[in-house]
Amino acid sequence: MDFPSVSLGPPIAKRLSRLDVQIEANRCLNCYDAPCTRACPTAIDVPRFIGRIATGDLAGSARTIMDANPVGASCARVCPTDQLCEGACVYNADENPIRIGDLQRFATDWAIRENAVLFTAGPPTGKRVAVIGSGPAGLAAARELARAGHAVTIFERDPAPGGLDTYGIVPFRLPAEIALWEAEQVRALGVEIRTGVAVGRDVEPATLLAEYDAVMIAIGMGAVPRLGIEGEDAAGVWDALDFIRVAKCGGDVGTLGERVAVIGGGNTAIDAATCSRRLALRQAQGDTSVTMYYRRGAERMTAYDFEIEFAQVEGVEFRTFVVPKRILVENGRVAGLELLATDPAGSARPLAGTECVVAADTVILAIGQQRHVALLDAFGVMHDVNGIATVDETMRTNVPRVYAAGDCTFQPGGIDAMVVEAAQRGKVAARNIDLLLRTEPR
Amino acid sequence: MADLSIDLGGIRSPNPFWLASAPPTNSGYQVMRAFAAGWGGAVWKTLALEPIVNVTSRFAGQNIGSYRMAGMNNIELITDRPLDENLREIAECKAAYPDRAIIVSLMTECTRESWHELVRRCETVPVDGFELNFGCPHGMSERGQGAAVGQDPELVELITRWVKEAAHVPVIVKLTPNITDIRYTARAAAKGGADAISLINTLNSLMGVDLDTWLPIPHVDGKSSHGGFCGPSVKPIALNMVGACAKDAQVGIPISGIGGIADWRDAVEFMLMGSTSVQVCTAVMHHGFRIVADMIDGLNNYLDARGIASVREIVGKTVPRFVDWNDLNLDYKVVARIDPESCIRCNKCYIACEDAAHQCIDRPADPRLAPVVDEEHCVGCNLCQMVCPVVDCIEMVRVDAGDTVHTWREKLPSVP
């Protein structure tokens, strides 16, 4: 797959030395009914994959990881491990958990480097499944359906597969080649990935419903919504996801100027902020300051703690309890930001008469994402007022033979909204689609 | 400060820590460094009338997890340097450190003349004793020496007698463990007039096979032969053999303990099981001579904490408790108790008991709670305590009344 290799500086994840790997892998106690495995949404058998590293069975280790988690290489870079596997490690009593994420990266890096063939497609069932979207949930579902022997077609509107992992996470946290390798693993099972094809634009939902035995909707989320304030159309105002996407694809984001303002407190806001810092360093613009403006206290930010710490290390500044009132524009370009203070109790309600102005040359909005409501409606899939698809515990929607998983089913700001959780829901959907196709042929 | 000096069959040293006859005692340079570090004695690497030729490579380590050299194996032979050169260096070491014990390990062909000649030449320099190498399992045994002698009680007795005829210093016989019952050769050594025995020499071993080349490890130009295994892994075997000799009335001579001794605690165990001195090799090959300072310090503090004036007082103190299985109390009962406070919920005790012991550890439905021992069915095997990674989390608690003793021997009076 042709994709520019943009790194924007050294990766966040440090590569373990061979000595570290040996020490760390041998330090694992091989717990029974291990808490790390219980804490993993995809239930990776952590002691098993670590034990296989310790004995030099890297193929077995990588297979253990990727079997449970089809995007296990990406998760080894983006998972909040301190809240999941490593947070549950029995060594936490000594505050010295096994470096599970680093070991997972070691094993999956090996598989990538060695071009290891980890899985094969199942004997053909003659059933066809359409998967819409090739992000974590879509890839996971497609991989599991292909292993079950079903013929799977993924419809992906972007030029390259991988969804959020390929386009929406800064390259120094998750290089595009990792997500693309995971997509290639799925393609190698015979899954057809039709990139550049948008369902609803290039293919009608009705066509999919007619031609496939089941449809899986894994369409993620859309653009960042507008703030609805003055100056939003000026040059230098960015949707954070567009900004990250352009940067990750090696495109030109233009001159950032001396001050970048990022609005928001989630992981995407952090990514936009750290990405700005590194781009500014590369543009050699002197000392470009990057400030995140958040409407509540820092403790309410939805970004992971380790992301916030990383941003601090990268030199991002934080200003809390403020919301933008308008964007100041000069000569058609951003010149500053007028802010309002918010209720110190944390309700995010702006307080009248507290206006202040800060200079800004670039404003990046990361205040959540819109939903692809129109596409859900086109399928007749029920959703709530926020546009979040309604599914049961089998990931089934109200429409027969239509399932949904991933971000399009997660409530905003929830702990669910993780790559690893999307992968797990994709697996669950695939398992239930497989069951449906075997027990209730169309 | 306790008195650490010892006397093994007439060989005196300021502390019980000797270097075993092995690569660390190959030269005067090394023995000088060892004595400077504090070693109480050194058994010089085995001398012969003529030097042998060694091969490369020679050693291999047994690694367990991240722990290197839990055991090691070697196919090195005895000294490959001329006898006169060794003797000159022995004299230099003795002159520099007159208070340390230098024991010379000997090996030669199985004739009276040869042994007499070797002893005579070695006594031209001031040595404190001889150790007869009847133990090396590799190489020399194919020439009718080393373990080839040590596996035959009659030869052990005969050669010991020859050496005693010629020697003016105490003679230790070093025993091979590659034998069904080591007491037979120990008794033969005593019968031949040995002043002491030392044990164990190395065990027959093949360290491994290279998974990529399929060559044995270590190999010499693509081939290998069996070697001698030593290091921490052999300690339980050595301790058993030392204890067996210590409690055998027909042996009845002092013991120098050898086999996986790496620190002062190992040394204390060997002494409690009947060793007067202890010999160390693998630990020095792993960490250097400096470890003796920690051995001396640890032993001193151990004795001081118990008000024991001399290390000689502990020698053999555990031997009377090392008995036949038939004499064990069948009424004694312990059970495991898990401390939920220190338990880290790894469940290793649970799965060990469930799959490999007696299915008497239960897990509460809530995985946040510690496993619990079903004391009624627990047989007190210790397995859960062994696998538990947390020190003192699982305690073995005595639950019988403690007022009765019944043994298998009394049930079967015909058992000798």
Side-chain angles (χ1 to χ4, degrees):
Chain A
M1 262 160 265
D2 206 20
F3 200 94
S5 181
V6 174
S7 63
L8 292 184
I12 297 170
K14 284 196 270 308
R15 179 164 287 183
L16 288 184
S17 70
R18 279 188 64 176
L19 179 61
D20 280 341
V21 168
Q22 190 202 348
I23 291 172
E24 209 55 16
N26 282 306
R27 204 163 67 85
C28 175
L29 287 171
N30 191 7
C31 296
Y32 176 75
D33 190 13
C36 48
T37 295
R38 283 202 305 266
C40 175
T42 61
I44 292 175
D45 191 337
V46 175
R48 195 179 292 285
F49 96 69
I50 291 179
R52 289 178 178 187
I53 290 175
T55 65
D57 178 15
L58 295 180
S61 180
R63 193 171 285 120
T64 302
I65 294 163
M66 299 300 291
D67 177 50
N69 184 348
V71 291
S74 291
C75 283
R77 291 168 171 78
V78 302
C79 261
T81 52
D82 57 340
Q83 294 171 33
L84 300 172
C85 51
E86 290 176 17
C89 176
V90 298
Y91 279 138
N92 272 296
D94 296 328
E95 298 181 343
N96 193 16
I98 302 290
R99 294 163 69 179
I100 299 167
D102 290 343
L103 290 172
Q104 182 167 327
R105 210 165 53 250
F106 173 79
T108 50
D109 278 353
W110 176 89
I112 294 170
R113 203 168 55 243
E114 299 292 321
N115 274 321
V117 175
L118 300 175
F119 305 103
T120 52
T125 61
K127 306 291 181 193
R128 305 178 70 211
V129 182
V131 175
I132 310 171
S134 64
L139 280 183
R143 209 276 309 262
E144 292 301 274
L145 288 165
R147 288 176 75 190
H150 306 302
V152 181
T153 305
I154 299 179
F155 296 88
E156 170 56 61
R157 65 179 176 162
D158 279 326
L164 177 84
D165 287 355
T166 298
Y167 290 101
I169 297 175
V170 286
F172 38 92
R173 179 167 300 286
L174 180 57
E177 55 262 33
I178 303 298
L180 294 175
W181 174 78
E182 287 166 342
E184 189 52 41
Q185 298 302 295
V186 176
R187 191 198 297 274
L189 297 177
V191 171
E192 184 189 4
I193 305 179
R194 295 180 59 188
T195 52
V197 177
V199 175
R201 181 190 70 196
D202 307 315
V203 180
E204 284 309 312
T207 312
L208 296 188
L209 290 171
E211 292 184 359
Y212 290 86
D213 296 286
V215 174
M216 158 85 181
I217 300 175
I219 52 178
M221 290 189 279
V224 175
R226 293 169 63 88
L227 278 168
I229 59 174
E230 186 186 330
E232 222 170 339
D233 296 321
V237 180
W238 282 91
D239 166 332
L241 286 163
D242 284 343
F243 181 81
I244 293 165
R245 182 190 182 100
V246 169
K248 198 170 181 179
C249 293
D252 183 11
V253 295
T255 303
L256 296 176
E258 288 178 14
R259 290 180 181 80
V260 176
V262 178
I263 315 297
N267 290 316
T268 297
I270 295 275
D271 267 13
T274 53
C275 193
S276 301
R277 277 290 284 179
R278 291 198 174 195
L279 279 170
L281 287 173
R282 210 172 55 156
Q283 290 178 349
Q285 289 173 338
D287 192 23
T288 294
S289 75
V290 175
T291 306
M292 283 180 57
Y293 295 92
Y294 182 57
R295 59 192 172 142
R296 295 191 173 99
E299 73 287 350
R300 296 283 296 275
M301 286 186 174
T302 55
Y304 303 136
D305 289 344
F306 71 85
E307 290 269 21
I308 295 170
E309 281 164 28
F310 169 67
Q312 286 166 338
V313 169
E314 292 276 302
V316 172
E317 292 162 44
F318 292 80
R319 189 153 168 200
T320 52
F321 295 107
V322 287
V323 288
K325 184 181 176 191
R326 82 189 153 102
I327 295 168
L328 308 179
V329 181
E330 281 175 19
N331 302 323
R333 185 174 170 97
V334 174
L337 205 52
E338 186 176 11
L339 301 168
L340 278 171
T342 62
D343 166 25
S347 73
R349 181 174 52 84
L351 303 177
T354 58
E355 287 84 352
C356 74
V357 169
V358 293
D361 306 296
T362 299
V363 173
I364 303 175
L365 304 179
I367 53 166
Q369 284 176 262
Q370 291 172 325
R371 304 288 170 163
H372 298 294
V373 180
L375 190 53
L376 295 180
D377 287 339
F379 275 101
V381 167
M382 273 170 49
H383 54 78
D384 67 8
V385 289
N386 297 315
I388 295 157
T390 306
V391 290
D392 66 10
E393 70 282 358
T394 69
M395 304 293 119
R396 197 174 55 181
T397 68
N398 59 300
V399 181
R401 300 181 179 271
V402 175
Y403 290 70
D407 267 347
C408 64
T409 64
F410 294 146
Q411 291 294 335
I415 188 73
D416 302 348
M418 297 185 290
V419 172
V420 64
E421 192 65 55
Q424 176 60 18
R425 304 290 174 92
K427 275 168 57 192
V428 171
R431 193 154 58 232
N432 288 297
I433 291 171
D434 178 52
L435 194 66
L436 173 84
L437 299 185
R438 286 177 193 283
T439 55
E440 295 175 43
R442 194 161 58 145
Chain B
M1 290 281 282
D3 176 10
L4 298 190
S5 69
I6 54 117
D7 180 331
L8 178 89
I11 304 173
R12 281 184 279 277
S13 70
N15 65 53
F17 302 114
W18 296 1
L19 289 167
S21 172
T25 59
N26 186 48
S27 68
Y29 173 79
Q30 291 165 287
V31 173
M32 287 278 200
R33 281 179 60 82
F35 285 164
W39 289 90
V43 185
W44 208 274
K45 186 169 170 75
T46 305
L47 303 184
L49 289 169
E50 294 298 330
I52 54 76
V53 176
N54 267 311
V55 293
T56 66
S57 59
R58 303 177 192 179
F59 307 145
Q62 180 196 28
N63 306 324
I64 300 177
S66 288
Y67 190 84
R68 310 287 292 177
M69 278 171 72
M72 78 168 263
N73 133 308
N74 85 90
I75 54 170
E76 183 173 289
L77 302 184
I78 60 177
T79 188
D80 50 16
R81 303 188 308 133
L83 181 59
D84 287 343
E85 196 176 310
N86 277 299
L87 294 177
R88 192 181 70 244
E89 291 173 8
I90 289 169
E92 287 167 5
C93 289
K94 193 65 196 174
Y97 292 94
D99 65 323
R100 312 302 170 85
I102 297 184
I103 299 94
V104 178
S105 174
L106 302 177
M107 186 190 289
T108 189
E109 62 186 275
C110 195
T111 68
R112 189 166 181 243
E113 295 69 31
S114 179
W115 279 98
H116 279 192
E117 168 69 3
L118 185 57
V119 167
R120 188 191 61 73
R121 289 194 49 196
C122 289
E123 285 197 346
T124 58
V125 295
V127 298
D128 296 296
F130 292 120
E131 184 183 79
L132 311 187
N133 183 343
F134 293 165
C136 272
H138 51 277
M140 301 311 286
S141 55
E142 295 174 24
R143 306 175 197 182
Q145 301 177 25
V149 173
Q151 287 168 336
D152 182 338
E154 284 179 27
L155 283 178
V156 169
E157 183 184 338
L158 182 69
I159 296 175
T160 305
R161 204 180 300 283
W162 290 341
V163 172
K164 283 297 288 182
E165 288 168 359
H168 297 88
V169 293
V171 173
I172 306 167
V173 172
K174 186 167 180 177
L175 302 175
T176 176
N178 300 308
I179 188 166
T180 309
D181 188 338
I182 201 162
R183 291 174 303 175
Y184 286 84
T185 45
R187 289 168 189 160
K191 225 167 143 190
D195 299 282
I197 50 174
S198 56
L199 63 154
I200 57 174
N201 206 309
T202 54
L203 291 140
N204 283 329
S205 60
L206 172 62
M207 185 49 74
V209 179
D210 188 298
L211 296 181
D212 296 318
T213 63
W214 297 4
L215 296 179
I217 300 172
H219 75 88
V220 178
D221 195 14
K223 293 175 183 168
S224 192
S225 67
H226 78 271
F229 188 60
C230 57
S233 290
V234 310
K235 182 185 139 191
I237 297 167
L239 210 49
N240 171 52
M241 290 185 171
V242 165
C245 291
K247 73 175 185 180
D248 189 283
Q250 296 176 62
V251 175
I253 51 177
I255 297 170
S256 182
I258 312 168
I261 295 160
D263 61 29
W264 67 269
R265 296 171 303 180
D266 298 328
V268 168
E269 291 179 61
F270 271 81
M271 297 184 91
L272 287 169
M273 286 311 297
S275 302
T276 299
S277 76
V278 293
Q279 298 186 29
V280 177
C281 165
T282 308
V284 165
M285 297 190 74
H286 201 166
H287 306 294
F289 293 128
R290 60 199 167 131
I291 60 170
V292 74
D294 306 316
M295 301 177 100
I296 291 169
D297 186 68
L299 179 59
N300 243 321
N301 292 337
Y302 176 81
L303 296 173
D304 286 352
R306 284 158 184 77
I308 299 169
S310 165
V311 71
R312 301 178 204 205
E313 292 174 36
I314 69 170
V315 174
K317 283 293 185 285
T318 304
V319 175
R321 294 187 169 270
F322 190 49
V323 298
D324 289 351
W325 195 96
N326 281 333
D327 297 317
L328 302 179
N329 184 4
L330 300 169
D331 296 348
Y332 180 74
K333 181 164 167 63
V334 294
V335 297
R337 261 183 216 154
I338 300 166
D339 172 22
E341 292 298 312
S342 54
C343 170
I344 59 172
R345 317 297 192 253
C346 68
N347 301 320
K348 295 202 73 82
C349 58
Y350 164 79
I351 197 62
C353 188
E354 189 69 13
D355 286 358
H358 294 80
Q359 302 79 47
C360 46
I361 294 182
D362 302 319
R363 288 186 67 205
D366 183 347
R368 290 170 300 183
L369 299 179
V372 179
V373 175
D374 169 6
E375 294 190 6
E376 192 190 335
H377 295 102
C378 173
V379 303
C381 71
N382 289 350
L383 180 62
C384 56
Q385 190 191 44
M386 288 155 58
V387 300
C388 179
V390 181
V391 178
D392 295 336
C393 175
I394 299 183
E395 188 187 1
M396 303 305 296
V397 184
R398 185 168 187 175
V399 291
D400 69 303
D403 52 2
T404 59
V405 177
H406 289 96
T407 67
W408 194 256
R409 195 181 297 285
E410 67 196 32
K411 286 190 177 191
L412 291 172
S414 62
V415 175

